[in-house]
Amino acid sequence: MTSGASGAHRPPTAPGLVPADTTQDVRNRAAGRSRQVAVLPVGSYEQHGPFLPLATDTLVACAIAREIAAAYPVHLLPPVTISCSHEHAAWPGTVSISAVTLHAVVRDIADSLRRSGVEALAVVNGHGGNYVLGNVVQEASARGERLALFPAVEDWETARERAGVRTSLLTDMHAGEIETSVLLHAHPELVRAGHEKADHVADDRRHLLTTGMSAYTDSGVIGRPSLGSAAKGRELLASLTACFAPYFSLLTSDGWPSGGWPSGR
């Protein structure tokens, strides 16, 4: 038997991605609350250079969602682990589903939650290419359903500044300072050697949707991972957790209109 078949070189796995709640845990958390909020991490399975795992976006989304669940009375769901990563198709290991499929999956989850008494859903997105998630929330909100997409660009900007991340959000596109920092804090055992010398900047990416990532990077990295640190990762998560407060208040508010928000709000 070869060493590969024996699993001798099997890479490490990240524990704790699936919540361990029982039905009673969910019932207890809902006791005395007029409205429940579920949190759904949505990641991806795509290349992140030679030093971060394919599941990086899922790991980041789960890390954010776990911190939210520790700070707010929410129902933490297991992650959606494969999404819209078509721009990364040039690299081995990347797997995608269509935007139509992701739209349907999230909408079905929200519908199922409402049937079980959970009115509100916050989608925690870890992959910038999941543009369709914005449409899911827009359409649901127009129907009067309680959905939100987190974090917004403004939340990431606030977190970046508070954590001392030096790279701008434009430059820090993929496998850069932010993602490397979060994983160095949350899953350091999954970060492999090489990020210290992997910086690559490509700020002008106007044809990205047409050409894919491979037109802008050979390594798969766009950003400055060399600047990543566990301390920055910890502060990024702490800041994002604080930024979730107005989302929670909005999703549980009494003023949510059944027919959607009026125009001009």
Side-chain angles (χ1 to χ4, degrees), residues 116-213:
S116 68
V118 181
E119 290 185 49
L121 175 63
V123 179
V124 175
N125 181 35
H127 172 47
N130 288 335
Y131 310 111
V132 71
L133 293 177
N135 300 121
V136 176
V137 172
Q138 285 177 323
E139 294 165 14
S141 297
R143 294 189 296 268
E145 300 165 9
R146 295 173 182 259
L147 262 75
L149 182 60
F150 182 81
V153 172
E154 294 84 354
D155 300 313
W156 277 117
E157 185 61 31
T158 297
R160 184 188 71 82
E161 292 176 357
R162 291 182 181 177
V165 171
R166 292 163 53 188
T167 314
S168 70
L169 293 181
L170 172 65
T171 299
D172 196 66
M173 183 218 177
H174 192 70
E177 185 176 0
I178 288 176
E179 290 183 322
T180 301
S181 293
V182 173
L183 261 67
L184 283 171
H185 167 65
H187 298 285
E189 73 282 2
L190 301 182
V191 181
R192 305 195 187 189
H195 67 278
E196 304 89 350
K197 299 181 179 180
D199 292 4
H200 175 72
V201 174
D203 284 352
D204 186 346
R205 304 184 296 269
R206 68 188 73 190
H207 303 300
L208 176 68
L209 297 182
T210 302
T211 63
M213 285 273 292

Coordinates of all heavy atoms in Angstrom, one line a residue, residues 116-213:
S116 N -40.5 26.3 10.6 CA -40.2 25.8 11.9 C -40.2 26.8 13.0 O -39.8 26.6 14.1 CB -38.8 25.1 11.9 OG -37.8 26.0 11.7
G117 N -40.6 28.1 12.6 CA -40.8 29.1 13.6 C -39.7 30.1 13.7 O -39.7 31.0 14.5
V118 N -38.6 30.0 12.8 CA -37.5 30.9 12.8 C -37.8 31.9 11.7 O -37.6 31.6 10.5 CB -36.2 30.2 12.6 CG1 -35.0 31.3 12.6 CG2 -36.0 29.2 13.7
E119 N -38.2 33.2 12.0 CA -38.6 34.1 11.1 C -37.5 34.8 10.3 O -37.7 35.2 9.1 CB -39.4 35.2 11.7 CG -40.8 34.8 12.3 CD -41.5 36.0 12.8 OE1 -41.6 37.1 12.1 OE2 -42.0 35.9 14.0
A120 N -36.3 35.0 10.9 CA -35.3 35.8 10.3 C -34.0 35.0 10.0 O -33.7 34.1 10.7 CB -35.0 37.0 11.2
L121 N -33.4 35.4 8.9 CA -32.1 34.7 8.5 C -31.1 35.7 8.2 O -31.3 36.6 7.3 CB -32.4 33.8 7.3 CG -31.1 33.1 6.7 CD1 -30.5 32.2 7.7 CD2 -31.5 32.4 5.4
A122 N -29.9 35.6 8.8 CA -28.7 36.4 8.4 C -27.8 35.5 7.7 O -27.3 34.5 8.2 CB -28.1 37.0 9.6
V123 N -27.5 35.9 6.4 CA -26.5 35.1 5.6 C -25.2 35.7 5.8 O -24.9 36.9 5.5 CB -27.0 35.1 4.1 CG1 -25.9 34.3 3.3 CG2 -28.4 34.5 4.0
V124 N -24.2 34.9 6.3 CA -22.8 35.4 6.5 C -22.0 34.9 5.3 O -21.7 33.7 5.2 CB -22.3 34.9 7.8 CG1 -20.8 35.3 8.0 CG2 -23.0 35.5 9.0
N125 N -21.7 35.8 4.4 CA -21.0 35.4 3.2 C -19.5 35.6 3.3 O -19.0 36.6 3.7 CB -21.5 36.3 2.0 CG -20.9 36.0 0.7 OD1 -20.6 34.8 0.5 ND2 -20.6 36.9 -0.1
G126 N -18.8 34.5 3.0 CA -17.3 34.5 3.0 C -16.7 34.6 1.7 O -15.4 34.6 1.6
H127 N -17.4 34.7 0.6 CA -16.9 34.7 -0.8 C -17.4 35.8 -1.6 O -18.6 35.9 -1.8 CB -17.2 33.3 -1.5 CG -16.8 33.3 -2.9 ND1 -15.6 33.7 -3.4 CD2 -17.5 32.9 -4.0 CE1 -15.5 33.6 -4.7 NE2 -16.7 33.1 -5.1
G128 N -16.5 36.7 -2.0 CA -17.0 37.9 -2.8 C -17.7 37.6 -4.1 O -18.4 38.4 -4.6
G129 N -17.4 36.4 -4.7 CA -18.0 36.1 -5.9 C -19.5 35.6 -5.8 O -20.1 35.4 -6.9
N130 N -20.0 35.6 -4.6 CA -21.4 35.2 -4.5 C -22.4 36.3 -4.6 O -23.2 36.7 -3.7 CB -21.6 34.5 -3.1 CG -21.0 33.2 -3.0 OD1 -20.8 32.5 -4.0 ND2 -20.6 32.7 -1.8
Y131 N -22.3 37.0 -5.8 CA -23.1 38.2 -6.0 C -24.6 37.9 -5.9 O -25.3 38.8 -5.4 CB -22.8 38.7 -7.4 CG -21.4 38.9 -7.8 CD1 -20.8 38.0 -8.7 CD2 -20.6 39.9 -7.2 CE1 -19.4 38.2 -9.0 CE2 -19.2 40.0 -7.5 CZ -18.7 39.1 -8.4 OH -17.3 39.3 -8.7
V132 N -25.0 36.7 -6.2 CA -26.4 36.4 -6.2 C -27.0 36.5 -4.8 O -28.3 36.7 -4.7 CB -26.7 35.0 -6.8 CG1 -26.2 33.9 -5.9 CG2 -28.1 34.8 -7.1
L133 N -26.2 36.4 -3.8 CA -26.8 36.5 -2.4 C -27.5 37.8 -2.2 O -28.5 37.9 -1.4 CB -25.7 36.2 -1.4 CG -25.1 34.8 -1.3 CD1 -24.0 34.7 -0.3 CD2 -26.2 33.8 -1.1
G134 N -26.9 38.9 -2.8 CA -27.6 40.2 -2.6 C -28.9 40.2 -3.3 O -29.9 40.8 -2.7
N135 N -29.1 39.5 -4.4 CA -30.4 39.4 -5.0 C -31.4 38.6 -4.2 O -32.6 38.9 -4.1 CB -30.3 38.7 -6.4 CG -29.4 39.5 -7.3 OD1 -28.4 39.0 -7.8 ND2 -29.7 40.8 -7.6
V136 N -30.9 37.5 -3.5 CA -31.8 36.7 -2.7 C -32.4 37.6 -1.6 O -33.6 37.6 -1.3 CB -31.0 35.6 -2.0 CG1 -31.9 34.8 -1.1 CG2 -30.4 34.6 -3.1
V137 N -31.5 38.4 -0.9 CA -32.0 39.3 0.2 C -32.9 40.4 -0.4 O -33.9 40.7 0.2 CB -30.8 39.8 0.9 CG1 -31.2 40.9 1.9 CG2 -30.0 38.7 1.6
Q138 N -32.5 41.0 -1.5 CA -33.4 42.0 -2.1 C -34.8 41.5 -2.4 O -35.8 42.1 -2.0 CB -32.8 42.5 -3.4 CG -31.6 43.4 -3.2 CD -31.0 43.8 -4.6 OE1 -31.0 43.0 -5.5 NE2 -30.6 45.1 -4.7
E139 N -34.9 40.3 -3.0 CA -36.2 39.8 -3.4 C -37.0 39.4 -2.2 O -38.2 39.6 -2.1 CB -36.0 38.6 -4.3 CG -35.3 39.0 -5.6 CD -34.8 37.8 -6.4 OE1 -35.2 36.6 -6.0 OE2 -34.1 38.0 -7.4
A140 N -36.3 38.8 -1.2 CA -37.0 38.3 0.0 C -37.5 39.5 0.8 O -38.7 39.5 1.3 CB -36.1 37.5 0.9
S141 N -36.7 40.6 0.9 CA -37.1 41.8 1.6 C -38.3 42.4 1.0 O -39.2 43.0 1.6 CB -36.0 42.8 1.7 OG -34.9 42.2 2.5
A142 N -38.4 42.4 -0.4 CA -39.5 43.0 -1.1 C -40.8 42.2 -0.8 O -41.9 42.8 -0.9 CB -39.2 43.0 -2.6
R143 N -40.6 40.9 -0.5 CA -41.8 40.1 -0.1 C -42.2 40.3 1.3 O -43.1 39.6 1.8 CB -41.5 38.6 -0.4 CG -41.4 38.3 -1.9 CD -41.3 36.8 -2.1 NE -40.2 36.2 -1.5 CZ -39.0 36.0 -2.1 NH1 -38.8 36.3 -3.3 NH2 -38.0 35.4 -1.4
G144 N -41.4 41.0 2.1 CA -41.7 41.2 3.5 C -41.0 40.2 4.4 O -41.3 40.1 5.6
E145 N -40.1 39.4 3.8 CA -39.4 38.4 4.6 C -38.2 39.0 5.3 O -37.6 39.9 4.8 CB -39.0 37.2 3.7 CG -40.2 36.5 3.1 CD -39.8 35.6 1.9 OE1 -38.6 35.4 1.7 OE2 -40.7 35.2 1.2
R146 N -37.8 38.4 6.4 CA -36.7 39.0 7.2 C -35.4 38.3 6.8 O -35.0 37.2 7.4 CB -37.0 38.8 8.7 CG -38.2 39.6 9.2 CD -38.5 39.3 10.6 NE -39.7 40.0 11.0 CZ -39.7 41.1 11.8 NH1 -38.5 41.6 12.2 NH2 -40.8 41.8 12.1
L147 N -34.6 38.9 5.9 CA -33.3 38.4 5.5 C -32.3 39.5 5.5 O -32.7 40.7 5.2 CB -33.4 37.7 4.1 CG -33.5 36.2 4.0 CD1 -34.9 35.8 4.4 CD2 -33.1 35.7 2.7
A148 N -31.1 39.2 5.8 CA -30.0 40.2 5.8 C -28.7 39.5 5.3 O -28.6 38.3 5.5 CB -29.8 40.8 7.1
L149 N -27.9 40.3 4.6 CA -26.6 39.8 4.1 C -25.5 40.5 4.9 O -25.4 41.7 5.0 CB -26.4 40.1 2.6 CG -25.2 39.6 2.0 CD1 -25.0 38.1 2.1 CD2 -25.2 40.0 0.5
F150 N -24.6 39.7 5.5 CA -23.5 40.2 6.3 C -22.2 39.5 6.0 O -22.2 38.3 5.7 CB -23.9 40.0 7.8 CG -22.9 40.5 8.8 CD1 -22.9 41.9 9.2 CD2 -22.0 39.7 9.4 CE1 -22.0 42.4 10.1 CE2 -21.1 40.2 10.3 CZ -21.1 41.5 10.7
P151 N -21.1 40.2 6.1 CA -20.8 41.6 6.3 C -21.0 42.4 5.1 O -20.6 41.9 4.0 CB -19.4 41.7 6.9 CG -19.0 40.2 7.1 CD -19.8 39.4 6.1
A152 N -21.4 43.7 5.2 CA -21.3 44.6 4.1 C -19.9 45.1 3.9 O -19.0 44.9 4.8 CB -22.3 45.8 4.4
V153 N -19.6 45.8 2.8 CA -18.3 46.4 2.6 C -18.0 47.3 3.7 O -16.8 47.3 4.1 CB -18.3 47.1 1.2 CG1 -17.0 47.9 1.0 CG2 -18.5 46.1 0.1
E154 N -18.9 48.1 4.2 CA -18.7 49.0 5.2 C -18.2 48.3 6.5 O -17.4 48.8 7.3 CB -19.9 49.9 5.5 CG -20.3 50.8 4.4 CD -21.1 50.2 3.3 OE1 -21.3 48.9 3.3 OE2 -21.6 50.9 2.4
D155 N -18.8 47.1 6.8 CA -18.4 46.4 8.0 C -17.0 45.9 7.8 O -16.2 45.9 8.8 CB -19.4 45.2 8.1 CG -20.8 45.6 8.3 OD1 -21.1 46.5 9.1 OD2 -21.7 45.0 7.6
W156 N -16.6 45.4 6.6 CA -15.2 45.0 6.4 C -14.3 46.1 6.6 O -13.2 46.0 7.1 CB -15.1 44.3 5.0 CG -15.5 42.9 5.0 CD1 -16.5 42.3 4.2 CD2 -14.8 41.8 5.7 NE1 -16.5 41.0 4.4 CE2 -15.5 40.6 5.3 CE3 -13.8 41.7 6.6 CZ2 -15.2 39.4 5.8 CZ3 -13.4 40.5 7.0 CH2 -14.1 39.3 6.7
E157 N -14.7 47.3 6.1 CA -13.8 48.5 6.2 C -13.6 48.9 7.6 O -12.5 49.2 8.0 CB -14.4 49.6 5.4 CG -13.5 50.9 5.3 CD -12.2 50.6 4.6 OE1 -12.1 49.8 3.7 OE2 -11.2 51.3 5.0
T158 N -14.7 48.9 8.4 CA -14.5 49.2 9.8 C -13.6 48.2 10.5 O -12.7 48.5 11.3 CB -15.9 49.1 10.5 OG1 -16.8 50.2 9.9 CG2 -15.8 49.3 12.0
A159 N -13.8 46.9 10.2 CA -13.0 45.8 10.8 C -11.5 46.0 10.4 O -10.6 45.8 11.2 CB -13.5 44.5 10.4
R160 N -11.3 46.3 9.1 CA -9.9 46.4 8.6 C -9.2 47.5 9.4 O -8.1 47.4 9.8 CB -10.0 46.8 7.1 CG -8.6 46.8 6.5 CD -8.7 47.4 5.0 NE -9.1 48.8 5.0 CZ -8.2 49.8 5.2 NH1 -6.9 49.5 5.4 NH2 -8.6 51.0 5.1
E161 N -9.9 48.7 9.6 CA -9.3 49.8 10.3 C -9.0 49.5 11.7 O -7.9 49.8 12.2 CB -10.2 51.0 10.1 CG -10.3 51.6 8.7 CD -11.2 52.7 8.6 OE1 -11.9 53.1 9.6 OE2 -11.4 53.3 7.5
R162 N -10.0 48.9 12.4 CA -9.8 48.6 13.8 C -8.8 47.5 14.1 O -8.1 47.5 15.1 CB -11.2 48.1 14.4 CG -12.2 49.2 14.5 CD -13.5 48.7 15.1 NE -14.5 49.8 15.1 CZ -15.8 49.6 15.6 NH1 -16.1 48.4 16.0 NH2 -16.6 50.6 15.6
A163 N -8.6 46.6 13.1 CA -7.6 45.5 13.3 C -6.2 45.9 12.9 O -5.2 45.2 13.0 CB -8.0 44.3 12.5
G164 N -6.1 47.1 12.3 CA -4.8 47.5 11.8 C -4.3 46.8 10.5 O -3.1 46.7 10.3
V165 N -5.3 46.4 9.7 CA -4.9 45.8 8.4 C -4.5 46.9 7.5 O -5.2 47.9 7.3 CB -6.1 45.0 7.8 CG1 -5.9 44.6 6.4 CG2 -6.5 43.8 8.7
R166 N -3.3 46.7 7.0 CA -2.7 47.8 6.2 C -3.1 47.8 4.7 O -3.1 48.8 4.0 CB -1.1 47.7 6.2 CG -0.6 48.0 7.6 CD 0.8 47.5 7.8 NE 1.7 47.9 6.7 CZ 3.0 47.5 6.6 NH1 3.5 46.6 7.4 NH2 3.7 48.0 5.6
T167 N -3.5 46.6 4.2 CA -3.9 46.5 2.8 C -5.4 47.0 2.6 O -6.2 46.7 3.4 CB -3.8 45.1 2.3 OG1 -2.6 44.5 2.8 CG2 -3.9 45.0 0.8
S168 N -5.6 47.8 1.6 CA -7.0 48.3 1.3 C -7.8 47.1 0.8 O -7.3 46.0 0.4 CB -6.9 49.3 0.2 OG -6.6 48.7 -1.1
L169 N -9.1 47.3 0.9 CA -10.1 46.2 0.4 C -9.9 46.0 -1.0 O -10.1 44.9 -1.5 CB -11.5 46.6 0.8 CG -11.8 46.6 2.3 CD1 -13.3 47.0 2.5 CD2 -11.5 45.3 3.0
L170 N -9.6 47.0 -1.8 CA -9.4 46.8 -3.2 C -8.2 45.9 -3.5 O -8.3 44.9 -4.3 CB -9.1 48.2 -3.9 CG -8.7 48.1 -5.4 CD1 -9.8 47.5 -6.3 CD2 -8.3 49.5 -5.9
T171 N -7.1 46.1 -2.8 CA -5.9 45.4 -3.0 C -6.0 44.0 -2.4 O -5.5 43.0 -3.0 CB -4.7 46.1 -2.5 OG1 -4.5 47.3 -3.1 CG2 -3.4 45.3 -2.6
D172 N -6.7 43.9 -1.3 CA -6.7 42.6 -0.5 C -7.9 41.8 -1.0 O -8.9 41.5 -0.4 CB -6.9 42.9 1.0 CG -6.7 41.7 1.8 OD1 -5.5 41.3 1.9 OD2 -7.6 41.2 2.5
M173 N -7.8 41.3 -2.3 CA -8.9 40.6 -2.9 C -9.0 39.2 -2.6 O -10.1 38.7 -2.3 CB -8.8 40.8 -4.4 CG -10.0 40.2 -5.2 SD -9.5 39.4 -6.7 CE -11.0 38.7 -7.2
H174 N -7.9 38.5 -2.5 CA -8.0 37.0 -2.4 C -6.7 36.4 -1.8 O -5.6 36.7 -2.3 CB -8.2 36.4 -3.8 CG -8.6 35.0 -3.8 ND1 -9.8 34.6 -3.4 CD2 -7.9 33.9 -4.2 CE1 -9.9 33.2 -3.5 NE2 -8.7 32.8 -4.0
A175 N -6.9 35.6 -0.8 CA -5.7 35.0 -0.1 C -4.7 36.0 0.4 O -3.5 35.8 0.4 CB -5.1 34.0 -1.0
G176 N -5.2 37.2 0.8 CA -4.4 38.3 1.2 C -4.3 38.4 2.7 O -4.4 37.5 3.5
E177 N -4.1 39.7 3.2 CA -3.8 40.0 4.6 C -5.0 39.6 5.4 O -4.8 39.0 6.5 CB -3.5 41.5 4.7 CG -3.1 41.9 6.1 CD -2.7 43.3 6.2 OE1 -2.8 44.0 5.2 OE2 -2.4 43.8 7.4
I178 N -6.2 39.9 5.0 CA -7.4 39.6 5.8 C -7.6 38.1 6.0 O -7.7 37.6 7.1 CB -8.7 40.3 5.2 CG1 -8.6 41.8 5.5 CG2 -9.9 39.7 5.9 CD1 -9.7 42.6 4.8
E179 N -7.7 37.4 4.9 CA -8.0 35.9 5.0 C -6.9 35.2 5.7 O -7.2 34.3 6.5 CB -8.3 35.4 3.6 CG -9.6 35.8 3.0 CD -9.8 35.2 1.6 OE1 -8.9 35.0 0.8 OE2 -11.0 34.9 1.4
T180 N -5.7 35.5 5.4 CA -4.5 34.9 6.1 C -4.6 35.2 7.6 O -4.3 34.3 8.4 CB -3.2 35.4 5.5 OG1 -3.2 35.1 4.1 CG2 -2.0 34.7 6.2
S181 N -4.9 36.4 8.0 CA -5.0 36.7 9.4 C -6.1 36.0 10.1 O -5.9 35.4 11.2 CB -5.2 38.3 9.5 OG -4.1 39.0 9.1
V182 N -7.3 35.9 9.5 CA -8.4 35.2 10.1 C -8.0 33.7 10.4 O -8.2 33.1 11.4 CB -9.7 35.3 9.3 CG1 -10.8 34.4 9.9 CG2 -10.2 36.7 9.3
L183 N -7.4 33.1 9.3 CA -7.0 31.7 9.5 C -5.8 31.5 10.5 O -5.8 30.5 11.2 CB -6.7 31.0 8.1 CG -7.9 30.2 7.6 CD1 -9.1 31.1 7.3 CD2 -7.5 29.4 6.4
L184 N -4.9 32.4 10.5 CA -3.8 32.3 11.5 C -4.3 32.4 12.9 O -3.8 31.8 13.8 CB -2.8 33.5 11.3 CG -1.8 33.3 10.1 CD1 -1.0 34.6 9.9 CD2 -0.9 32.1 10.3
H185 N -5.5 33.1 13.1 CA -6.1 33.1 14.4 C -7.0 31.9 14.7 O -6.9 31.2 15.7 CB -6.9 34.4 14.6 CG -7.8 34.4 15.7 ND1 -7.4 34.3 17.0 CD2 -9.2 34.4 15.8 CE1 -8.4 34.3 17.9 NE2 -9.5 34.3 17.1
A186 N -7.9 31.6 13.7 CA -8.9 30.6 13.9 C -8.5 29.2 13.6 O -8.9 28.2 14.3 CB -10.2 30.9 13.1
H187 N -7.6 29.0 12.6 CA -7.1 27.7 12.2 C -5.7 27.7 11.8 O -5.3 27.5 10.6 CB -8.0 27.2 11.1 CG -9.4 27.0 11.4 ND1 -9.9 26.0 12.2 CD2 -10.5 27.7 11.1 CE1 -11.2 26.1 12.3 NE2 -11.6 27.1 11.7
P188 N -4.8 28.1 12.7 CA -3.3 28.2 12.3 C -2.7 26.9 11.8 O -1.8 27.0 11.0 CB -2.7 28.6 13.6 CG -3.6 28.2 14.7 CD -5.0 28.3 14.1
E189 N -3.3 25.8 12.2 CA -2.8 24.5 11.7 C -3.0 24.3 10.2 O -2.4 23.4 9.6 CB -3.4 23.4 12.5 CG -4.9 23.0 12.2 CD -5.9 24.0 12.8 OE1 -5.4 25.0 13.5 OE2 -7.1 23.8 12.6
L190 N -3.9 25.1 9.6 CA -4.3 24.9 8.2 C -3.5 25.9 7.3 O -3.6 25.8 6.1 CB -5.7 25.1 8.0 CG -6.7 24.2 8.8 CD1 -8.1 24.5 8.4 CD2 -6.4 22.8 8.5
V191 N -2.7 26.8 7.9 CA -2.0 27.8 7.1 C -0.6 27.2 6.8 O 0.2 26.9 7.8 CB -1.8 29.1 7.8 CG1 -1.1 30.1 6.9 CG2 -3.2 29.7 8.1
R192 N -0.2 27.0 5.6 CA 1.0 26.4 5.2 C 2.1 27.4 5.0 O 1.8 28.6 4.8 CB 0.9 25.5 4.0 CG -0.2 24.4 4.2 CD -0.2 23.3 3.2 NE -1.4 22.5 3.4 CZ -1.5 21.3 2.8 NH1 -0.6 20.9 1.9 NH2 -2.6 20.6 3.0
A193 N 3.3 27.0 4.9 CA 4.4 27.9 4.7 C 4.3 28.5 3.3 O 3.8 27.9 2.4 CB 5.8 27.2 4.8
G194 N 4.8 29.7 3.2 CA 4.8 30.4 1.9 C 4.1 31.7 1.8 O 4.3 32.5 0.9
H195 N 3.2 32.0 2.7 CA 2.4 33.2 2.7 C 3.3 34.4 2.9 O 3.0 35.5 2.5 CB 1.3 33.2 3.7 CG 1.7 33.2 5.1 ND1 2.0 32.1 5.8 CD2 1.8 34.2 6.0 CE1 2.3 32.4 7.0 NE2 2.2 33.7 7.2
E196 N 4.4 34.2 3.6 CA 5.4 35.3 3.9 C 6.0 35.9 2.6 O 6.4 37.1 2.6 CB 6.5 34.8 4.8 CG 6.0 34.2 6.1 CD 5.8 32.7 5.9 OE1 5.8 32.2 4.8 OE2 5.6 32.0 7.0
K197 N 6.0 35.2 1.5 CA 6.6 35.7 0.3 C 5.7 35.6 -0.9 O 6.2 35.5 -2.1 CB 7.9 34.9 0.0 CG 8.9 35.0 1.1 CD 10.2 34.1 0.7 CE 11.2 34.3 1.8 NZ 12.5 33.5 1.5
A198 N 4.4 35.6 -0.7 CA 3.4 35.4 -1.8 C 2.7 36.6 -2.2 O 1.7 36.6 -3.0 CB 2.4 34.3 -1.3
D199 N 3.1 37.8 -1.8 CA 2.4 39.1 -2.1 C 2.3 39.3 -3.6 O 3.3 39.1 -4.3 CB 3.0 40.3 -1.5 CG 2.9 40.3 0.0 OD1 2.4 39.3 0.6 OD2 3.4 41.3 0.7
H200 N 1.1 39.7 -4.1 CA 0.9 40.0 -5.5 C -0.2 41.0 -5.6 O -1.3 40.8 -5.1 CB 0.6 38.8 -6.3 CG 0.3 39.1 -7.7 ND1 1.2 39.4 -8.6 CD2 -0.9 39.1 -8.4 CE1 0.7 39.6 -9.8 NE2 -0.7 39.4 -9.7
V201 N 0.1 42.2 -6.2 CA -0.9 43.2 -6.3 C -1.4 43.4 -7.8 O -0.6 43.4 -8.7 CB -0.3 44.6 -5.8 CG1 -1.3 45.7 -6.1 CG2 0.0 44.5 -4.4
A202 N -2.7 43.4 -7.9 CA -3.3 43.6 -9.2 C -4.6 44.4 -9.0 O -5.7 43.8 -9.1 CB -3.6 42.3 -9.9
D203 N -4.5 45.7 -8.8 CA -5.7 46.5 -8.4 C -6.6 46.8 -9.6 O -7.8 47.0 -9.4 CB -5.2 47.9 -7.9 CG -4.7 47.7 -6.4 OD1 -4.8 46.7 -5.9 OD2 -4.1 48.7 -5.9
D204 N -6.1 46.8 -10.8 CA -7.0 47.0 -12.0 C -7.4 45.6 -12.5 O -6.7 44.9 -13.2 CB -6.2 47.7 -13.1 CG -7.1 48.1 -14.3 OD1 -8.2 47.6 -14.4 OD2 -6.7 48.9 -15.1
R205 N -8.7 45.2 -12.1 CA -9.2 43.9 -12.5 C -10.5 44.1 -13.2 O -11.5 43.3 -13.0 CB -9.4 43.1 -11.2 CG -8.1 42.9 -10.4 CD -8.4 42.0 -9.2 NE -9.3 42.5 -8.3 CZ -9.0 43.3 -7.2 NH1 -7.8 43.6 -7.0 NH2 -10.0 43.7 -6.4
R206 N -10.6 45.1 -14.1 CA -11.9 45.4 -14.7 C -12.5 44.3 -15.6 O -13.7 44.3 -15.9 CB -11.7 46.7 -15.5 CG -10.9 46.6 -16.8 CD -10.7 48.0 -17.4 NE -9.7 48.8 -16.5 CZ -9.5 50.1 -16.8 NH1 -10.2 50.7 -17.7 NH2 -8.7 50.7 -16.0
H207 N -11.6 43.4 -16.1 CA -12.1 42.3 -16.9 C -12.2 41.0 -16.2 O -12.3 39.9 -16.8 CB -11.2 42.2 -18.1 CG -11.1 43.4 -18.9 ND1 -12.1 44.0 -19.5 CD2 -10.0 44.2 -19.2 CE1 -11.7 45.1 -20.2 NE2 -10.4 45.2 -20.0
L208 N -12.3 41.0 -14.9 CA -12.2 39.8 -14.1 C -13.4 38.9 -14.4 O -13.2 37.6 -14.5 CB -12.3 40.2 -12.6 CG -12.4 39.0 -11.6 CD1 -11.1 38.2 -11.6 CD2 -12.7 39.5 -10.2
L209 N -14.6 39.4 -14.6 CA -15.7 38.5 -14.8 C -15.6 37.8 -16.2 O -16.2 36.7 -16.4 CB -17.0 39.3 -14.7 CG -17.3 39.9 -13.3 CD1 -18.7 40.6 -13.3 CD2 -17.3 38.8 -12.2
T210 N -14.9 38.4 -17.1 CA -14.7 37.9 -18.4 C -13.6 36.9 -18.5 O -13.7 35.8 -19.1 CB -14.6 39.0 -19.5 OG1 -15.7 39.9 -19.4 CG2 -14.4 38.5 -20.9
T211 N -12.5 37.3 -17.9 CA -11.2 36.5 -18.1 C -11.0 35.5 -16.9 O -10.2 34.6 -17.1 CB -10.0 37.4 -18.2 OG1 -9.9 38.2 -17.0 CG2 -10.2 38.4 -19.3
G212 N -11.6 35.8 -15.8 CA -11.3 35.0 -14.6 C -10.0 35.5 -13.9 O -9.3 36.4 -14.4
M213 N -9.7 34.9 -12.8 CA -8.6 35.3 -12.0 C -7.2 35.0 -12.7 O -6.3 35.7 -12.4 CB -8.6 34.5 -10.6 CG -9.6 35.0 -9.6 SD -9.0 36.3 -8.6 CE -7.7 35.4 -7.6

